[in-house]
């Protein structure tokens, strides 16, 4: 009986997690959208007219079955990439994405160089 | 190896200076003025008078269409209105007025007092349609060609310079 109950709980939890992954988290989308008429706020944090309208539009797009990426593409097409807090990877901002990795690589090379130099001295 | 490190540091320094230079010379306030050249599809706007809808097809015969977002409660809309009246006399352009989050009686009073420059009048009661045009405040105006491509965006009230600019564009055919 205990095992049966445990199995039910396990499958319910597992099923819930699968559904959670499949559905779109509307609030997460709101957090990634900049309120263009506010001072450094996302539309999730704002009650401005613009933020309220954008929330309604996001809700409509979700009801239409649009994916998170499609919603971001639609809005960045209308307002530019500035509306997204997490910028998309494209030609215009490849440096933004690439520089941290490049800096990490250069740092690693410098460290390796100094370690080698120190070991030669020793 | 030391040479490489020195030149890397020098390059990094130049890069940082470059980033500062570009950033400090940039306008810190963002607007969508530069978002031109994009086609506006799926236009579906409810008529101001009745429950009929205007779509892209209704504007396809226009050489140029100026979409103007306005409301009776918007003070700068009153300032730009004489310029819209002036523009409505032009042959090559039709003006589509989108009444934004407004009361019908107030909007009608506004047009009665200041004149009606609009060839088409539609309403956007909750503002959702404005997102399809990339609007984030009013007044804003968008100049479209007959292929619904955005030629120019005007954020804020249309002034005399904007009016002359539009006239210059639409008179070259």
């Amino acid at each position: 009986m205990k095992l049966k109950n445990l199995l039910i709980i396990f499958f319910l939890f597992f099923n819930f997690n699968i559904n959670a992954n499949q559905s779109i988290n509307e609030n997460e989308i709101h957090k990634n959208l900049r309120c263009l008429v506010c001072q450094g706020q996302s539309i999730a944090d704002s009650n401005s007219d613009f933020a309220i309208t954008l929330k309604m539009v996001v809700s409509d797009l979700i009801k239409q079955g649009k994916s998170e990426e499609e919603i971001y593409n639609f809005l960045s097409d209308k307002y530019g990439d500035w509306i997204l807090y997490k910028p998309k990877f494209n030609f215009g901002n490849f440096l933004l994405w690439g520089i941290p990795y490049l800096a990490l690589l250069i740092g690693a090379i410098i460290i390796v160089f100094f370690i080698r130099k120190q070991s030669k001295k020793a | 190896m030391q040479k490489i490190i020195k030149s890397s540091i020098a390059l990094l320094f130049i890069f940082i200076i470059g980033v500062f230079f570009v950033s400090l010379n940039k306008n810190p306030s963002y607007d969508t003025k530069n978002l031109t050249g994009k086609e506006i599809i799926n236009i579906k706007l409810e008529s101001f008078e009745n429950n009929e809808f205007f779509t892209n097809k209704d504007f396809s015969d226009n050489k140029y269409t100026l979409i103007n977002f306005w409301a009776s409660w918007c003070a700068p809309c009153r300032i730009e209105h004489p310029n819209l009246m002036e523009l409505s006399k032009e042959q090559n352009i039709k003006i589509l007025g989108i009444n934004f989050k407004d009361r019908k009686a107030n909007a009608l009073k506004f047009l009665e007092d200041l004149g009606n420059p609009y060839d088409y009048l539609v309403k956007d009661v909750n503002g959702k349609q404005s997102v399809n045009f990339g609007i984030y405040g009013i007044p804003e105006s968008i100049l479209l060609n007959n292929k619904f491509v955005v030629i120019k965006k005007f954020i804020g009230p249309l002034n005399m310079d904007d009016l002359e600019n539009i006239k210059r564009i639409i008179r070259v055919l």
Side-chain angles (χ1 to χ4, degrees):
Chain A
M1 191 66 187
K2 255 189 178 177
L3 185 73
K4 196 181 166 188
N5 284 345
L6 276 172
L7 278 173
I8 289 168
I9 290 166
F10 173 77
F11 280 115
L12 276 175
F13 182 72
F14 187 67
N15 189 36
F16 175 77
N17 269 346
I18 286 173
N19 287 337
N21 287 337
Q22 280 174 345
S23 67
I24 296 176
N25 187 337
E26 205 170 323
N27 200 40
E28 282 303 312
I29 296 177
H30 294 169
K31 280 180 189 169
N32 193 28
L33 294 173
R34 191 186 305 272
C35 173
L36 296 180
V37 296
C38 316
Q39 292 280 331
Q41 278 182 310
S42 71
I43 64 162
D45 303 323
S46 171
N47 281 322
S48 69
D49 231 25
F50 176 71
I52 291 166
T53 306
L54 221 54
K55 282 176 197 170
M56 287 195 290
V57 170
V58 168
S59 176
D60 284 354
L61 290 171
I62 291 170
K63 279 176 199 158
Q64 284 168 27
K66 303 280 184 205
S67 68
E68 201 170 328
E69 203 184 335
E70 281 172 326
I71 294 169
Y72 291 146
N73 285 343
F74 171 75
L75 291 171
S76 66
D77 192 47
K78 301 299 175 189
Y79 293 100
D81 285 346
W82 179 248
I83 198 158
L84 305 176
Y85 269 109
K86 188 181 172 188
K88 288 188 288 186
F89 182 82
N90 56 32
F91 182 75
N93 59 20
F94 75 97
L95 277 177
L96 183 74
W97 289 93
I99 279 176
Y101 299 106
L102 196 70
L104 203 70
L105 191 73
I106 292 170
I109 291 169
I110 292 170
I111 289 167
V112 168
F113 170 74
F114 278 111
I115 288 172
R116 276 191 178 175
K117 205 176 171 187
Q118 290 296 321
S119 57
K120 269 182 191 173
K121 273 183 187 174
Chain B
M1 190 65 183
Q2 258 183 339
K3 263 186 184 175
I4 295 171
I5 291 170
K6 273 180 189 168
S7 46
S8 304
I9 290 167
L11 273 174
L12 190 70
F13 185 72
I14 291 166
F15 176 75
I16 290 168
I17 296 289
V19 168
F20 272 107
F21 183 77
V22 171
S23 304
L24 291 171
N25 283 301
K26 229 176 162 183
N27 185 2
S29 55
Y30 176 78
D31 63 43
T32 56
K33 261 183 199 169
N34 298 324
L35 295 178
T36 55
K38 290 191 174 171
E39 189 185 347
I40 295 185
I41 52 169
N42 300 331
I43 295 177
K44 195 182 178 192
L45 299 159
E46 194 179 354
S47 167
F48 187 79
E49 298 296 335
N50 48 47
N51 293 331
E52 284 175 17
F53 284 89
F54 287 99
T55 61
N56 292 57
K57 209 178 157 190
D58 295 296
F59 312 112
S60 56
D61 289 338
N62 303 346
K63 288 169 185 161
Y64 290 97
T65 307
L66 184 82
I67 304 175
N68 175 247
F69 287 80
W70 67 282
S72 64
W73 47 261
C74 152
C77 298
R78 288 178 186 272
I79 296 168
E80 74 169 0
H81 208 78
N83 291 332
L84 287 168
M85 292 299 290
E86 173 76 27
L87 194 65
S88 65
K89 293 172 191 160
E90 291 290 321
Q91 296 287 315
N92 293 333
I93 193 166
K94 298 279 184 196
I95 307 177
L96 162 66
I98 301 185
N99 186 235
F100 183 83
K101 295 184 180 180
D102 203 359
R103 288 191 182 143
K104 192 172 182 177
N106 294 350
L108 287 171
K109 179 84 173 52
F110 180 98
L111 294 178
E112 201 183 302
D113 292 347
L114 301 172
N116 185 354
Y118 304 115
D119 298 287
Y120 315 91
L121 194 53
V122 299
K123 60 186 171 193
D124 185 12
V125 179
N126 50 24
K128 285 200 276 187
Q129 277 301 319
S130 66
V131 173
N132 192 30
F133 298 90
I135 301 298
Y136 59 92
I138 61 166
E140 276 191 41
S141 302
I142 303 169
L143 183 63
L144 302 178
N145 66 11
N146 58 352
K147 291 184 171 67
F148 305 104
V149 173
V150 177
I151 298 173
K152 217 158 175 48
K153 280 188 108 171
F154 303 91
I155 316 291
L158 290 172
N159 55 34
M160 286 304 286
D161 287 343
D162 297 329
L163 189 66
E164 289 308 313
N165 201 348
I166 295 170
K167 280 181 182 175
R168 230 182 352 259
I169 293 169
I170 63 173
R171 282 174 183 171
V172 179
L173 274 174

